[in-house]
Amino acid sequence: MSKVYLLGAGPGDPGLITVRARDILSRADVVVYDYLANKAFLDFCRPDATIYYVGKKGGDHTLPQDKINDLLVEMAKAGKMVARLKGGDPFVFGRGGEEAEELVAAGCPFEVVPGVTSAVAAPAYAGIPITHRSFCSSVSFITGHEDPTKAESSLNWEAFARSGSTLVFFMGVKNLPHITENLMKAGMPGDTPAALVRWGTTCHHKSLVATLATMAEEAAKKGFAPPSLFVVGGVVSLHDTLGWYEKRPLLGQGVVVTRSREQASDLTRLLTDEGACCYEFPAIEIAPLEDADPVRQAIGRLYDYDWVIFTSVNGVKCFFAEIDTLSLDARVFAGIRVAAIGPATAQALAARGLRPDFVPDRFVAESVVAGLLDQGVAGTRVLIPRAREAREVLPEKLAEAGAYVDVLAVYDTKPVDQDPAEIVEAMRSGAIRYVTFTSSSTVKNFFAKVPPEVVREASGVKLACIGPITAKTLGEFGFTPDIVAEAYTVPALAKAVIDDAVAAAGSAS
């Protein structure tokens, strides 16, 4: 349906975009977006959506406002569903009102989807409630972008200074001396608490607390730059007591996640929950087989086997995809014992109605073999659905123990053809602190793209492995891992990285 949706993307944390905005992004034919604090919002768009970047950064206008208005009208009149994505809220210093007026004048239907404004969210993440019964009962949102050379200010500084309100200035960093001077001239005490919040709610979030009189000097010393909010009022005194976001151990630290794109979300979520800036650099991708007939044939004669052993979530997913294709379900495993190499694989099976008969205590092939020997696997027929290329330890050891083993390829792992420039640049600039590896293939394919010398020369980069097998592969490239997870799972790997960051922060203090 032809309509323009003026969407608020929120302040930067992807979790703060509204359900309504995300739904519209997933259905829109055209997405027109400003400079965003987090481009992860674009991942919600349809793969075939036409996307226009029309924002500005540092005064560089990609498209003037009148041309943006024309584009919205043109797309709407062409019968498109248009998502106009704007940081924060479209009607809070977002020029959404102007765009809505143009759409009305052109006879184009539109809808406004409010967003979480940074004026509320950024201070909240810094432990500053913008209203509080002990300090104030009102708040003023003010543009800090006024030209300080104007002969006469259009802002009523006396009203602001005497209101008792919390004052939140947008885009005010460059004009801090002008703002603070005018407030004090208008009668606001110089010892009034004040704060700057930069990149609020994102992994680059940081804050600075001073007084109205000292803030301009302190901001210059600390190198505070846009985008920052300037907050003035008694509520700022709660920053140290209520601050929570800046206590996250990985805040601001770059972490490379090398898992396949389909699987990266779990590890990324665990790390970003602790403040990490995650760089998803999938070293491998899971590819379906060109010929799935052997898998379907194996499913048709599954009754020939005593055991089916799944060694990964991907193996479960791809094997069951073919079961679904044949219009079958978990009942094909009737009378067959099933093993899973670890809890994630076991959970994937359980989600498909299949509870594993055996899960080892340690999640490597050697432990599976030992456990299956105790289960009486010798002399039985075993099927192992897995990647085409994988370690041969499990089938070889089971065969040595007297089992009759068939290995069944159910998917391929292939290197991802991804430009490493962003990762290389981030390493050289010191933005990356950790690189995580979840399998031997992620190690091999990562170093096929990123030369080992780049990692060696990078200052302070730590390498984290999911287990000893992955660590051994890392050794083939001349590296000893700094971190190896105690349990060979993604949650354990995330915990190991977080624990390292906590320990490093403790030693630094």
Side-chain angles (χ1 to χ4, degrees):
M1 181 179 68
S2 173
K3 183 183 279 191
V4 177
Y5 294 85
L6 303 177
L7 307 180
D13 182 340
L16 296 182
I17 194 169
T18 66
V19 174
R20 175 68 172 156
R22 181 169 178 168
D23 174 64
I24 290 167
L25 280 177
S26 71
R27 295 186 287 118
D29 303 306
V30 177
V31 177
V32 180
Y33 77 99
D34 285 340
Y35 174 69
L36 298 173
N38 198 319
K39 287 190 177 180
F41 299 122
L42 300 180
D43 293 339
F44 305 143
C45 301
R46 274 171 32 192
D48 62 338
T50 302
I51 298 185
Y52 295 94
Y53 170 58
V54 298
K56 63 177 181 178
K57 183 179 179 183
D60 179 20
H61 293 250
T62 302
L63 202 65
Q65 185 62 49
D66 61 332
K67 298 298 182 184
I68 295 173
N69 298 341
D70 292 344
L71 177 62
L72 297 179
V73 171
E74 177 189 349
M75 292 295 104
K77 289 190 172 181
K80 305 294 185 182
M81 177 181 178
V82 183
R84 172 68 172 111
L85 186 63
K86 307 169 79 68
D89 180 275
F91 278 9
V92 180
F93 297 115
R95 304 191 73 171
E98 298 170 43
E99 294 175 359
E101 287 180 304
E102 292 292 331
L103 292 167
V104 170
C108 300
F110 74 95
E111 182 177 317
V112 179
V113 180
V116 178
T117 174
S118 59
V120 174
Y125 273 49
I128 302 171
I130 57 174
T131 63
H132 191 290
R133 64 185 300 175
S134 299
F135 296 97
C136 65
S137 56
S138 61
V139 59
S140 298
F141 297 162
I142 311 158
T143 177
H145 209 51
E146 187 178 51
D147 185 354
T149 65
K150 285 167 55 177
E152 187 174 340
S153 175
S154 59
L155 299 178
N156 190 334
W157 295 103
E158 288 76 15
F160 295 147
R162 297 170 184 171
S163 67
S165 295
T166 301
L167 308 180
V168 181
F169 289 86
F170 287 71
M171 304 167 289
V173 175
K174 291 182 180 179
N175 287 341
L176 265 180
H178 173 72
I179 294 169
T180 55
E181 181 183 349
N182 276 301
L183 286 172
M184 288 187 290
K185 279 184 178 179
M188 181 173 281
D191 61 358
T192 302
L196 281 172
V197 186
R198 185 167 192 261
W199 284 117
T201 79
T202 75
C203 65
H204 299 294
H205 170 112
K206 66 177 181 178
S207 62
L208 172 66
V209 172
T211 64
L212 184 64
T214 61
M215 179 56 82
E217 182 180 355
E218 289 299 315
K221 285 181 182 177
K222 300 292 185 181
F224 261 70
S228 298
L229 283 175
F230 182 40
V231 187
V232 183
V235 290
V236 174
S237 63
L238 296 171
H239 170 277
D240 292 346
T241 302
L242 301 184
W244 57 275
Y245 191 64
E246 289 164 68
K247 295 177 181 178
R248 296 188 171 193
L250 289 174
L251 186 63
Q253 299 191 45
V255 184
V256 179
V257 176
T258 58
R259 297 192 91 193
S260 67
R261 197 173 301 280
E262 296 87 350
Q263 295 178 300
S265 58
D266 290 344
L267 181 55
T268 297
R269 177 182 52 78
L270 291 168
L271 296 170
T272 55
D273 280 350
E274 299 301 330
C277 299
C278 285
Y279 296 75
E280 290 193 356
F281 187 74
I284 60 172
E285 64 178 353
I286 307 305
L289 299 175
E290 292 184 4
D291 180 10
D293 282 345
V295 181
R296 294 169 188 169
Q297 291 170 10
I299 293 170
R301 53 182 178 82
L302 210 55
Y303 51 79
D304 286 344
Y305 296 98
D306 303 292
W307 281 92
V308 178
I309 303 173
F310 289 95
T311 60
S312 70
V313 172
N314 289 322
V316 175
K317 178 181 176 182
C318 295
F319 194 71
F320 269 83
E322 297 307 322
I323 290 176
D324 292 341
T325 298
L326 296 172
S327 299
L328 299 173
D329 56 30
R331 286 175 290 183
V332 298
F333 289 91
I336 303 167
R337 304 187 74 185
V338 176
I341 201 169
T345 306
Q347 186 176 5
L349 287 168
R352 291 161 174 83
L354 202 59
R355 186 182 300 276
D357 298 281
F358 172 69
V359 182
D361 295 328
R362 296 174 68 245
F363 315 128
V364 291
E366 291 82 352
S367 295
V368 177
V369 172
L372 287 172
L373 289 176
D374 291 340
Q375 297 278 332
V377 75
T380 63
R381 291 189 61 83
V382 176
L383 179 68
I384 306 177
R386 64 171 206 184
R388 188 183 303 279
E389 294 185 13
R391 295 177 69 221
E392 298 301 330
V393 173
L394 180 58
E396 288 177 355
K397 294 295 184 182
L398 287 174
E400 289 174 9
Y404 302 95
V405 182
D406 287 333
V407 173
L408 178 67
V410 295
Y411 65 94
D412 283 316
T413 55
K414 296 181 178 180
V416 175
D417 187 17
Q418 182 165 327
D419 187 350
E422 181 187 19
I423 298 297
V424 171
E425 181 182 350
M427 281 196 172
R428 288 174 173 164
S429 70
I432 289 177
R433 177 62 169 165
Y434 298 97
V435 183
T436 60
F437 297 104
T438 55
S439 67
S440 292
S441 57
T442 62
V443 175
K444 293 174 182 176
N445 293 322
F446 177 81
F447 286 113
K449 290 289 185 181
V450 179
E453 54 268 24
V454 170
V455 180
R456 291 191 185 96
E457 294 169 1
S459 175
V461 173
K462 292 189 174 184
L463 306 181
C465 291
I466 200 168
I469 305 303
T470 306
K472 182 179 179 182
T473 305
L474 192 61
E476 296 173 7
F477 293 88
F479 295 98
T480 300
D482 302 279
I483 301 166
V484 179
E486 291 184 7
Y488 315 142
T489 66
V490 166
L493 176 60
K495 182 179 184 300
V497 171
I498 294 163
D499 288 348
D500 183 84
V502 171
S507 61
S509 61

